[in-house]
């Protein structure tokens, strides 16, 4: 149970709850959640219906400079360049879920529950990782290798080292019962 002031990492060598970074980290979450439930006594059973709708957006910006330094120091001999690495994540999601359940209301040795469940989920996720002065980093001499010229290693340009969109759409349906 370590409190890292809302961050998912810290560096013990710096003491306390500190970590090394060159850029401010931000996170913004927007969430809307709605639910409508219905309970009804049908004499022979209790009817329960629950409909939920959930949508949100999450924008995050992480400074991975320290991680970038560790990786770069392992791979390159630096000139005067001071690189930094940062990641931007944009995520949006929308979920609709419905459950209808009947539960027997009579007493006796035989009781039952039955119902149906349905959900429809959409998730859009865009992640981009940047490293400043990427072209100059790629032109320095890797340890034990010949010089790599800009363009000699594939990258996406504009200091983008990774860009990945991901879209998921998942539908689920189930019938259930127990006696």
């Amino acid at each position: 149970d370590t409190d890292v002031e809302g961050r998912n990492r810290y560096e013990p060598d710096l003491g306390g709850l500190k970590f090394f970074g060159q850029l401010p980290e931000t996170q913004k979450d927007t969430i809307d959640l709605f639910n409508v439930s219905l309970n009804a006594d049908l004499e022979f059973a209790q009817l329960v219906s629950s409909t939920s709708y959930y949508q949100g957006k999450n924008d995050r910006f992480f400074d991975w400079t320290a991680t970038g330094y560790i990786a770069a120091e392992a791979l390159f001999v630096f000139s005067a360049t001071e690189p930094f690495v940062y990641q931007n994540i944009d995520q949006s999601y929308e979920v609709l879920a419905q459950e209808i359940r009947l539960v027997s209301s009579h007493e006796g040795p035989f009781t039952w529950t039955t119902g149906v469940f349905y959900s429809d989920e959409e998730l859009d996720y865009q992640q981009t990782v940047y490293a400043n002065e990427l072209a100059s980093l790629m032109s320095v001499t890797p340890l034990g290798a010949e010089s790599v010229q800009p363009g000699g290693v594939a990258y996406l340009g504009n200091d983008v080292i990774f860009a990945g969109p991901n879209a998921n759409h998942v539908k689920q349906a189930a019938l259930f019962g127990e006696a």
Side-chain angles (χ1 to χ4, degrees), residues 31 36 122:
I31 299 170
V36 175
E122 290 188 43

Side-chain angles (χ1 to χ4, degrees), residues 21 29 81 105 120:
D29 289 318
T81 304
S105 58
D120 186 345

Side-chain angles (χ1 to χ4, degrees), residues 5 13 24 30 35 51 92 103 139 141 146-147 162 171:
E5 299 176 1
D13 293 343
T30 305
N35 176 269
T51 304
S92 63
V103 179
S139 66
T141 305
E146 294 182 14
S147 180
F162 176 81
K171 291 184 179 185

Side-chain angles (χ1 to χ4, degrees), residues 60-137:
R60 294 179 281 176
F61 182 87
F62 295 112
D63 182 345
W64 293 102
T65 300
T67 305
Y69 274 127
I70 292 166
E73 286 174 354
L75 298 173
F76 299 105
V77 176
F78 283 112
S79 59
T81 304
E82 291 188 12
F84 60 85
V85 178
Y86 58 98
Q87 175 185 32
N88 191 60
I89 297 174
D90 294 318
Q91 176 177 302
S92 63
Y93 40 89
E94 184 174 9
V95 179
L96 173 66
Q98 172 68 50
E99 180 177 338
I100 300 173
R101 181 175 60 240
L102 279 173
V103 179
S104 62
S105 58
H106 63 277
E107 293 185 23
F110 182 76
T111 59
W112 51 268
T113 301
T114 188
V116 62
F117 172 82
Y118 173 80
S119 74
D120 186 345
E121 304 176 26
E122 290 188 43
L123 169 66
D124 292 316
Y125 182 89
Q126 172 68 43
Q127 174 180 226
T128 309
V129 180
Y130 304 87
N132 78 318
E133 301 183 26
L134 182 61
S136 64
L137 281 177

